[in-house]
Amino acid sequence: MTEVSKSLNFIEHIIEEDLSTGFPSKQLRFRFPPEPNGYLHIGHASSICLNFGLGLKYNAAVNLRFDDTNPAKEEQEFVDAIKEDIIWLGFKWDTERYASDYFQELFDWAVQLIKSGKAYVDSQSSEEMALQKGTPTKSGVNSPYRNRSVDENLELFFGMKEGLFEEGEHVLRAKIDMGSSNMLMRDPIMYRVLKRPHHRTNTDWCIYPMYDWTHGESDYIEGVSHSLCTLEFAPHRELYDWFLDQVVEPERIRPKQREFARRNLSHTVVSKRKLLELVNEGIVNGWDDPRMPTISGLRRRGFTPESIRNFADTIGIAKRENVVDVSLLEFHVREHLNKIAPRIMAVLNPLKVVITNYPEDKVEWLRTENNPEDESAGYRELPFSREIYIEKEDFKEEANRKFFRLKLGGEVRLKSGYIIKAESCTKDEVGNVIEVQCTYDPKSKSGSGTEESLRKVKGTLHWVSIEHAIEAEVRIYDRLFTDENPDGHKDKSFLEFVNPNSLQITKGYIEPSVAGAKPETKFQFQRLGYFNVDKDSTAEKLVFNRTVTLRDTWAKIQQKN
């Protein structure tokens, strides 16, 4: 086996085998077929990366097809959001398609099946049909309407189309085998009556095709060569092929369905129904809440397209389902943001420091690098004055030798600034430190080249000048669930594992260079984490979302537990 073949995933092996046996590479075509009934999530991102990645690898077209066959749940809002997500991830589709484009052709094929005795109208209730379907170990029972005449079936089916019947009165079923070991082959429903306006066809139709009937036929109409689905559709492949057998013409491309395993993510849920429940119950603030695993939520939180694509590439494609730790996704966004995010000073839990030997009316501009990982990022100027904020956690009156931050009688360096020494502190009436008085060494300025500037001290702190700092709202996001598999407890609701501390809102003080920053601008707050400007920001007030901490703090928590 060559090094190249070793690096192929099993889907690529299937494609390579097809090409080696004569399938023309110019006829390769893939598709991404979302149902527009919700927002895309991180699981969809893997499928997007797979299908569009194959398109790039083989220089093949990839269709975006909306499987819009259920007007009760589908909305134009979801169509627009899905398109935006795919573009944001960095992919372009060849043609934009809709299953609703094929409603007439699907209807005409269904009529052909009725005429050939392979479909019939069933007038039973859904409960009666369910009882007759049998079990995996017991054959089903034929419907009493299974042997209706072709003429009667056609009359009823056209009546369904014309709106002569109410929802639930009749369905069209394929006539296959009620004794099949695959229960999906036991006369599956092809059409049902739904008197709901469709987001594209409005009220033109009042019958709608089922997914299994629509899926393969849509692939066939579009000339899709490889129809890639997640593993739960493996039992559907037999039905996919049976439906194709009824319509495929020898000279046209016949699609091939193949399945790959879902990659479930720890500490979250990706069921659209459960995500909708989180939204409707007010646990999150919409589909793009930064705690949601939706692509729009991850984007708003500050994840980059590159980090999500790299994550999808790392977890790869497999035949068995497993759970991927969310820390791997966080690793990839940390890795990318470390390369691209400008460093800025921000203080979230402020403690006032007065540098008593610094002139009261003096403001000095200190030169500091924007990103040590990117030389081309350049430098900026920071205002420095007599009164600054540092983090409360960075000062202790007394501390042991392992505490390398500021303590009484101790020295630290202010990032890109001077060495300061804590001389005294002021407390409030309950004993909390509210101010620290320090002195500074005027000759210790970073980068000045003096002997004093080269003096080594063990601690370096971030800070902001009080006079110049910008007040901002800072939203500290954490994992939405405390349990790594909130959906995996039979006796408990996933809602029982919602993290009560998944969002904490605080006031931050940010260096003035960020004034006017646009939504989705990303920064590293030095020593604190990576943050993203939220869309709620205004000209008067910036809002920042924490994307991720600088290190995986959850790993430490789990080790303690």
Side-chain angles (χ1 to χ4, degrees), residues 85-96:
D85 285 345
I86 295 170
I87 292 169
W88 178 76
L89 281 172
F91 298 111
K92 294 181 179 179
W93 53 87
D94 179 57
T95 57
E96 181 179 326

Side-chain angles (χ1 to χ4, degrees), residues 119-126 128-130 132 141-148 153 156-157 160 168-174 178 186-189 191-193:
Y120 64 96
V121 173
D122 197 334
S123 305
Q124 298 180 99
S125 68
S126 58
E128 289 171 321
M129 285 186 279
Q132 290 173 351
V141 177
N142 287 346
S143 164
Y145 301 101
R146 199 172 194 265
N147 294 317
R148 268 178 166 152
N153 280 320
L156 288 169
F157 189 47
M160 289 166 61
E169 273 195 74
H170 303 291
V171 295
L172 183 71
R173 298 177 70 177
M178 290 300 290
R186 297 181 184 178
D187 291 9
I189 296 173
Y191 277 90
R192 77 283 203 203
V193 176

